[in-house]
């Protein structure tokens, strides 16, 4: 190496040292930074939500926006540990039958009226019991009574021990709504549905249909130093490529999970002042799978379902179709959800074994119709990859395409051989997992029930017992057992624990601080 | 036929056509799988039979088809376009809110394409066979054949992302709170890309049609007579050729004008323009029957109306039609 080379090497070392020092200094100063008041965030949510009244509507976009307007009793961190929200403290009796919530002081509704225990009792016992499809079975089957003992205390008494109740206290499952505006009204046609009134850190300001929703800071929020941002706008841009360009041109600051095609993510993540995180989905833990309709011929054969599982190259799906995002699941419970166990039968990509099992199952080459999921290009590519996997082991698969309403109708009415699906697990298997496997949930008209028709009394009993077992240890034992039973039977073919990256400007701090990420993230977020 | 009688006859026919379209639309959208309740359940990621039943009762989908048809037609007879339970507002309000944006976009595209297309067509015909003619006809062919969505995306990348001249999406700068002239200019800057993208296709169409029509008329005997009489070429082109050649353009303009309200589904979607076209697409995906039927009805009414207007313009542009 000549003098020039030596000089360049020295220069490189000095530059690298300087960069390292600056980076350390930067991170140290970031830790020391105090939230700055003011600023505006432009956040992409797609598609435009049907409404913002979160008690009546739990679509993804509704939750992403309304979770900053409404609040529930609790928030959850990324380890799914409960944190205060409208309840400043809570107590669970030793037998897990009595839950006592003590409410925050000085909470006001956005219209200035005081919030009290009456609102909580009305919401949980009347409003949500009537309209909320996830809360209804909990309150009807498990709850004995919901009462207030004073204006700041609500007590929920269960018929039997029911630990999962705390997880149902998350804002999408149990948003607290104002009694004074809803009691005695036709809930679904209440005019306040279009101008939502919550207790959250942001107030609804304007909805220009087809363009944007505007939230403004709640100056009377009970946490005096929050929120920091003045305004949050949610512009609606229907085309994924246009959303990416809007981010690149600086029109928007945050691309929420699923806002851009997964193949665009690595490129966007490398842009200047751009950060990316896959955190903030721990509560939902979306779990993707293929549902076989076990009523249909060969799909009722366990050997054939196992053959399909061995035939699918799930690593290819993760690494190529989903660009490396996600994790290969071992069974029905996500590794992010409570009571997960990997002590189950494993399925690796093994075409040879798949061929043997196809032969043993008695499959005669009949065409199996695969109902695609109309949620964008990534799902279409995944279906094509699986079709190729199946062809390699002699399974004939034909992809049937449809739109979202068509998919819901066909799935609800069991009009498919195989179909993709993915469901949120919502922290506890009793809330978000068992619904897809128990025979009591085999009913037409519900696309998120047990649509495949799997029925196993042993699994039913294990799920039922695990939901009401008195201790976490006992629940873990029962859930481990049911994961083993299902991994053997394969009522569905688990493909991927989905991960949705959130892309945002690095000068927006504290955006994702909980297990539901941006859904309640603007309480703590601030702009540098 | 007198003007009044002509108008009355066309209006009566128009009402019959609108009634037939309204009934056909009602059955057509119900032929598609799924309904609004299924869509909302699908979006929610949570549903049970009771939830779906509640939604269907709310939307009136639990009633018989003849009953639903009766309610729908009765409403339309009194110009009541119904109620969108999904949006919790009247359809008239939903459609009315989106109409100005669509009229602005399609109106701008209409003016650009009609003026520019006709001018280019006249220019190409006047210089037939020369390099400028080849340039215009080739460009027209390219823009006519290129898919709109590709032009839309490429224009965003080139003019918004790379050059930074104009915004890529939206109707105005969200959060800027501009007023008066500043707001008008802001909206105009957002209008540039979608209006040009949408206008390019029709510009190409008008240019090709105008050129062909001009060349056809230029060979007619009465043009030879005009030349023999010693009229100046510019007078012949303007007064004799262009005026006669304009009739196919009037037809095409009538068709395009009829579609003004229908907007441009693709352009509005790619450019996030909050108009009727996008509303129609979203309502279709959401199976929001009330909104979809309302938009269909308004669009059909505009097509019928502009057909009548086109016929009237014919009578003005070519007195022979009135005489006939």
């Amino acid at each position: 190496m000549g003098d020039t080379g030596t000089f360049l090497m020295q220069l490189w070392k000095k530059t690298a040292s300087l960069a390292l020092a600056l980076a350390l200094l930067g991170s140290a100063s970031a830790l020391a930074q105090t939230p700055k008041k003011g600023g505006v965030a432009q956040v992409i949510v797609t598609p435009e939500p049907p409404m913002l009244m979160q008690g009546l509507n739990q679509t993804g976009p509704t939750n992403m926006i309304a979770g900053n307007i409404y609040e529930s009793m609790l928030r959850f961190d990324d380890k799914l540990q409960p944190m205060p929200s409208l309840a400043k403290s809570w107590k669970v009796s030793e037998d897990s039958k009595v839950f006592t919530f003590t409410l925050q002081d000085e909470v006001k509704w956005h219209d200035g009226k005081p919030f009290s225990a009456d609102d909580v009792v009305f919401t949980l016992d009347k409003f949500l019991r009537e309209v909320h499809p996830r809360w209804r079975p909990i309150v009807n089957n498990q709850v004995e009574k919901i009462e207030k003992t004073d204006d700041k205390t609500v007590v929920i008494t269960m018929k039997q021990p029911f630990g999962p109740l705390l997880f149902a206290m998350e804002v999408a499952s149990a948003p607290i709504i104002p009694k004074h505006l809803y009691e005695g009204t036709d809930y679904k046609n209440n005019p306040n549905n279009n101008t939502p009134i919550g207790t959250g850190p942001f107030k609804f300001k304007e909805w220009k249909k087809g363009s944007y929703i505007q939230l403004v800071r709640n100056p009377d929020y009970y946490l005096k130093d929050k929120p920091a941002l003045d305004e949050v706008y949610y512009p609606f841009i229907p085309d994924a490529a246009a959303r990416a360009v809007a981010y690149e041109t600086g029109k928007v600051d945050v691309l929420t999970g699923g806002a851009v095609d997964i193949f665009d993510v690595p490129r966007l993540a490398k842009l200047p002042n751009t950060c990316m995180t896959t955190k903030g989905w721990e509560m939902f833990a979306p779990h993707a799978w293929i549902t076989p309709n076990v009523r249909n011929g060969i799909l009722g054969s366990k050997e054939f379902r196992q053959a399909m599982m061995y035939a699918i190259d799930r690593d290819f799906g993760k690494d190529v179709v989903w660009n490396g995002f996600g994790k290969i699941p071992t069974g029905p419970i996500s590794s992010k959800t409570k009571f997960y166990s990997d002590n189950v039968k494993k399925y690796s990509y093994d075409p040879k074994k798949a061929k043997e099992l196809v032969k043993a199952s008695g499959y005669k080459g009949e065409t199996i119709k695969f109902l695609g999921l109309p949620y964008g290009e990534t799902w279409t590519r995944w279906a094509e990859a699986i079709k190729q996997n199946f062809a390699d082991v002699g399974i004939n698969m034909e992809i049937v395409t449809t739109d979202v309403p068509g998919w819901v109708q066909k799935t609800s009415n069991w009009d498919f051989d195989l179909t993709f699906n993915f469901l949120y697990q919502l922290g506890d298997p009793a809330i978000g997992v068992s619904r897809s496997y128990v025979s009591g949930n085999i009913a037409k008209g519900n696309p998120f029930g047990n649509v495949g028709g799997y029925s196993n009394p042993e699994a039913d009993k294990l799920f039922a017992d695990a939901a009401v077992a008195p201790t976490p240890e006992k629940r873990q034992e029962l859930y481990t057992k049911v994961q083993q039973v299902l991994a053997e039977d394969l009522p569905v073919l688990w493909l991927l624990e989905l991960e949705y990256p959130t892309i945002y400007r690095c000068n927006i701090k504290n955006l994702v601080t909980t297990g539901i990420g941006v859904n309640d993230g603007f309480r703590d977020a601030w702009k540098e | 036929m007198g003007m009044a009688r002509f108008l009355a006859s066309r209006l009566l026919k128009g009402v019959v056509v609108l009634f037939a379209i309204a009934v056909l639309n009602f059955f057509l959208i119900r032929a598609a799988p799924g309904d609004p309740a299924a869509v909302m359940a699908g979006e929610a990621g949570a549903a049970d039979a009771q939830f779906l039943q509640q939604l269907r009762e709310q939307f009136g989908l639990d009633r018989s088809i003849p009953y639903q048809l009766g309610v729908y037609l009765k409403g339309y007879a009194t110009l009541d376009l119904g109620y969108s339970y999904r949006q919790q507002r009247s359809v008239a309000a939903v459609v009315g809110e989106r109409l100005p944006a669509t009229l602005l976009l399609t109106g701008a595209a209409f003016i650009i394409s009609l003026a520019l297309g006709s001018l280019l067509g006249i220019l190409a015909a006047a210089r037939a066979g020369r390099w400028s003619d080849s340039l215009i006809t080739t460009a027209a062919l390219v823009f006519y054949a290129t898919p709109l969505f590709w032009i839309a995306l490429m224009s965003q990348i080139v003019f918004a992302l790379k050059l930074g001249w104009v915004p890529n999406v939206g109707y105005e700068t969200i959060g800027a709170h501009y007023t008066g002239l500043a707001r008008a200019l802001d909206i105009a800057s957002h209008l540039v890309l979608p209006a040009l993208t949408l206008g390019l296709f029709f510009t190409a169409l008008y240019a090709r049609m105008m050129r062909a029509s001009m060349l056809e008329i230029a060979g007619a005997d009465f043009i030879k007579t005009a030349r023999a009489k010693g009229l100046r070429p510019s007078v012949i082109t303007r007064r004799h050729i262009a005026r006669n050649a304009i009739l196919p353009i009037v037809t095409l303009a009538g068709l395009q004008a009829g579609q003004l309200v229908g907007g441009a589904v693709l352009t509005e979607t790619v450019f996030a323009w909050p108009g009727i076209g996008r509303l129609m697409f979203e309502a279709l995906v959401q199976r929001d029957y009330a909104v979809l039927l309302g938009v269909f009805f308004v669009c059909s009414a505009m097509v019928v109306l502009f057909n009548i207007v086109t016929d009237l313009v014919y009578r003005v542009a070519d007195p022979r039609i009135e005489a006939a």
Side-chain angles (χ1 to χ4, degrees):
Chain A
M1 189 185 285
D3 287 349
T4 312
T6 310
F7 170 75
L8 283 175
M9 181 57 79
Q10 284 173 346
L11 185 65
W12 159 244
K13 282 180 180 170
K14 281 180 184 172
T15 310
S17 308
L18 185 64
L20 184 65
L22 284 173
L24 288 172
L25 197 63
S27 54
S29 67
L31 285 173
Q33 282 171 328
T34 49
K36 193 176 137 195
K37 287 270 183 189
V40 176
Q42 303 261 358
V43 185
I44 290 284
V45 166
T46 189
E48 187 168 353
M51 65 162 66
L52 289 180
M53 206 300 167
Q54 205 173 9
L56 291 172
N57 193 287
Q58 293 82 44
T59 62
T62 299
N63 287 336
M64 275 190 183
I65 302 171
N68 295 289
I69 300 172
Y70 293 96
E71 293 178 301
S72 188
M73 294 286 101
L74 303 172
R75 300 169 91 214
F76 290 84
D77 67 14
D78 59 353
K79 299 283 184 290
L80 302 184
Q81 293 304 310
M83 302 187 291
S85 185
L86 282 173
K88 68 178 174 188
S89 63
W90 58 96
K91 202 169 67 185
V92 184
S93 67
E94 273 189 23
D95 61 359
S96 287
K97 283 178 74 175
V98 182
F99 295 73
T100 306
F101 297 92
T102 305
L103 306 181
Q104 301 274 7
D105 301 313
E106 294 178 38
V107 178
K108 283 183 185 166
W109 292 102
H110 292 161
D111 62 1
K113 298 276 192 309
F115 159 82
S116 79
D118 288 328
D119 294 303
V120 179
V121 174
F122 167 74
T123 301
L124 300 180
D125 203 24
K126 293 210 168 85
F127 185 90
L128 295 179
R129 185 196 289 270
E130 184 174 327
V131 300
H132 200 303
R134 277 206 307 272
W135 177 254
R136 184 166 33 235
I138 294 174
V139 75
N140 284 344
N141 302 335
Q142 307 291 347
V143 174
E144 187 178 302
K145 59 182 175 181
I146 301 172
E147 58 192 347
K148 73 165 193 178
T149 51
D150 59 55
D151 272 356
K152 295 286 172 214
T153 310
V154 174
V155 178
I156 303 178
T157 308
M158 314 303 289
K159 292 174 186 164
Q160 54 203 330
F162 192 68
L165 184 79
L166 285 184
F167 286 100
M169 292 291 129
E170 171 265 335
V171 67
S173 298
I176 304 301
I177 60 134
K179 181 184 176 189
H180 66 281
L181 296 177
Y182 281 89
E183 188 179 36
T185 67
D186 173 6
Y187 300 152
K188 289 199 167 71
N189 295 308
N190 188 310
N192 294 293
N193 295 342
N194 283 331
T195 51
I197 299 287
T199 57
F202 284 90
K203 298 165 78 162
F204 171 80
K205 175 76 184 293
E206 187 186 19
W207 186 343
K208 265 235 185 302
K209 298 274 180 177
S211 287
Y212 63 85
I213 284 172
Q214 179 191 6
L215 306 186
V216 294
R217 197 167 74 85
N218 175 8
D220 300 320
Y221 193 54
Y222 59 90
L223 297 171
K224 296 303 171 202
D225 57 336
K226 290 182 177 177
L229 293 169
D230 287 333
E231 295 172 293
V232 182
Y233 287 92
Y234 297 91
F236 302 118
I237 305 174
D239 183 70
R243 289 194 287 271
V245 175
Y247 181 82
E248 290 180 86
T249 56
K251 254 180 120 68
V252 297
D253 304 308
V254 181
L255 296 167
T256 54
V260 289
D261 285 317
I262 201 84
F263 43 79
D264 243 353
V265 170
R267 182 178 68 80
L268 294 170
K270 285 183 194 143
L271 293 173
N273 188 28
T274 295
C275 291
M276 186 191 76
T277 180
T278 55
K279 293 178 84 69
W281 287 81
E282 293 80 5
M283 173 63 85
F284 305 123
H287 214 55
W289 63 72
I290 293 173
T291 307
N293 190 340
V294 301
R295 308 168 190 87
N296 290 4
I298 193 70
L299 296 170
S301 155
K302 185 170 84 178
E303 284 75 23
F304 189 75
R305 295 199 297 272
Q306 289 179 339
M308 290 193 289
M309 195 62 152
Y310 282 119
I312 298 171
D313 188 349
R314 295 188 290 172
D315 285 312
F316 178 86
K318 176 174 90 72
D319 296 335
V320 178
V321 179
W322 287 89
N323 245 323
F325 291 103
K327 185 179 173 190
I328 306 295
T330 55
I333 299 180
S334 165
S335 61
K336 295 185 180 72
T337 304
K338 296 284 178 190
F339 308 115
Y340 165 75
S341 171
D342 68 351
N343 181 20
V344 296
K345 179 172 180 169
K346 306 281 195 324
Y347 296 86
S348 54
Y349 176 51
D350 191 343
K352 189 165 168 275
K353 197 164 186 173
K355 278 184 191 168
E356 289 167 11
L357 283 164
V358 166
K359 200 174 169 189
S361 70
Y363 174 64
K364 301 277 190 299
E366 56 268 36
T367 300
I368 293 171
K369 291 192 174 176
F370 186 102
L371 181 64
L373 193 63
Y375 283 179
E377 185 62 23
T378 307
W379 292 90
T380 308
R381 293 179 184 192
W382 210 3
E384 295 286 352
I386 288 165
K387 182 180 178 180
Q388 183 62 49
N389 286 156
F390 282 179
D392 291 344
V393 300
I395 299 173
N396 295 319
M397 178 179 129
E398 179 191 321
I399 299 172
V400 179
T401 54
T402 181
D403 63 357
V404 174
W407 179 84
V408 171
Q409 191 189 50
K410 283 173 184 285
T411 308
S412 306
N413 293 319
W414 312 337
D415 183 14
F416 63 92
D417 290 334
L418 299 174
T419 186
F420 276 136
N421 206 343
F422 73 97
L423 256 68
Y424 290 172
Q425 304 225 322
L426 303 162
D428 192 293
I431 299 176
V433 176
S434 60
R435 58 182 170 162
S436 303
Y437 307 101
V438 295
S439 56
N441 230 4
I442 301 175
K444 280 194 176 178
N446 175 8
F448 307 108
N450 180 353
V451 292
Y454 171 75
S455 177
N456 180 343
E458 185 189 5
D460 288 351
K461 184 165 181 351
L462 284 166
F463 271 125
D465 292 347
V468 297
T471 64
E473 294 73 26
K474 185 65 186 167
R475 295 189 73 199
Q476 180 68 67
E477 182 192 326
L478 293 165
Y479 278 126
T480 299
K481 179 77 181 141
V482 78
Q483 286 172 85
Q484 290 166 344
V485 169
L486 295 182
E488 172 64 28
D489 279 2
L490 291 180
V492 307
L493 315 179
W494 304 285
L495 298 176
L496 194 62
E497 294 178 9
L498 298 174
E499 277 184 348
Y500 288 114
T502 301
I503 296 169
Y504 59 101
R505 308 268 175 228
C506 295
N507 61 331
I508 295 182
K509 309 291 182 187
N510 285 356
L511 178 64
V512 175
T513 55
T514 70
I516 62 170
V518 295
N519 289 27
D520 65 358
F522 289 97
R523 188 184 92 152
D524 301 325
W526 58 280
K527 204 166 182 179
E528 196 172 41
Chain B
M1 192 188 283
M3 180 67 88
R5 218 173 134 199
F6 167 79
L7 261 181
S9 146
R10 296 308 304 268
L11 282 173
L12 187 68
K13 279 183 194 164
V15 170
V16 174
V17 167
L18 280 178
F19 175 78
I21 290 174
V23 174
L24 189 68
N25 285 342
F26 178 86
F27 287 106
L28 263 182
I29 62 170
R30 277 166 177 76
D35 63 25
V39 175
M40 288 191 80
E43 289 170 337
D48 56 17
Q50 189 180 344
F51 180 70
L52 280 161
Q53 183 57 24
Q54 283 174 346
L55 286 174
R56 292 206 165 97
E57 281 171 15
Q58 190 188 1
F59 294 150
L61 298 169
D62 57 328
R63 312 300 292 262
S64 69
I65 292 287
Y67 178 86
Q68 291 179 45
L69 179 65
V71 170
Y72 160 70
L73 290 177
K74 192 177 158 197
Y76 274 49
T78 56
L79 292 181
D80 172 6
L81 300 185
Y83 189 79
S84 166
Y85 285 99
R86 185 184 171 93
Q87 300 216 20
Q88 303 255 314
R89 292 185 308 151
S90 74
V91 173
V94 173
V95 174
E97 187 178 58
R98 300 289 190 98
L99 206 52
T102 282
L103 289 177
L104 182 63
L105 170 62
T106 53
F110 180 68
I111 292 166
I112 291 169
S113 55
L114 186 59
L116 195 62
S118 305
L119 197 69
L120 288 173
I122 292 170
L123 205 66
R127 293 164 185 258
R130 294 192 218 166
W131 69 267
S132 49
D133 173 35
S134 305
L135 185 70
I136 291 169
T137 46
T138 307
L141 185 67
V142 169
F143 287 121
Y144 179 68
T146 310
L148 205 62
F149 74 89
W150 191 84
I151 293 178
L153 284 175
M154 288 304 112
S155 69
Q156 286 190 27
I157 289 170
V158 174
F159 298 108
L161 182 59
K162 300 291 179 197
L163 298 171
W165 289 352
V166 281
N168 75 313
V169 284
Y171 181 75
E172 59 189 314
T173 305
I174 294 169
H177 307 299
Y178 292 130
T179 53
L181 181 64
R183 181 164 185 243
L185 289 173
D186 183 47
I187 292 172
S189 72
H190 283 80
L191 180 65
V192 172
L193 287 185
L196 282 177
T197 303
L198 185 59
L200 269 179
F201 173 81
F202 278 101
T203 301
L205 210 57
Y206 284 125
R208 288 166 61 82
M209 190 163 277
M210 192 68 186
R211 180 183 178 277
S213 184
M214 291 274 291
L215 289 178
E216 190 189 335
I217 302 291
D221 289 344
F222 72 92
I223 300 297
K224 286 179 193 155
T225 309
R227 284 204 185 100
K229 281 162 67 182
L231 283 177
R232 274 181 289 132
S234 62
V235 174
I236 295 174
T237 302
R238 203 173 62 243
R239 285 199 195 156
H240 296 280
I241 304 180
R243 179 153 188 203
N244 282 287
I246 205 86
L247 279 180
I249 299 296
V250 171
T251 310
L252 190 62
L255 284 174
Q256 192 192 351
Q259 294 166 6
L260 286 183
V261 175
V265 174
L266 220 146
T267 310
E268 289 187 358
T269 301
V270 178
F271 288 102
W273 193 260
I276 295 286
R278 212 175 112 201
L279 176 69
M280 185 158 45
F281 176 68
E282 287 163 0
L284 177 68
V285 173
Q286 295 154 356
R287 298 288 192 273
D288 191 343
Y289 293 159
V291 169
L292 204 51
L293 287 169
V295 173
F296 283 169
F297 181 78
V298 172
C299 293
S300 311
M302 291 307 285
V303 170
V304 169
L305 183 69
F306 275 97
N307 272 344
I308 297 171
V309 172
T310 308
D311 286 347
L312 289 174
V313 174
Y314 270 162
R315 293 159 75 100
V316 175
D318 189 345
R320 288 170 301 182
I321 293 172
E322 190 176 4

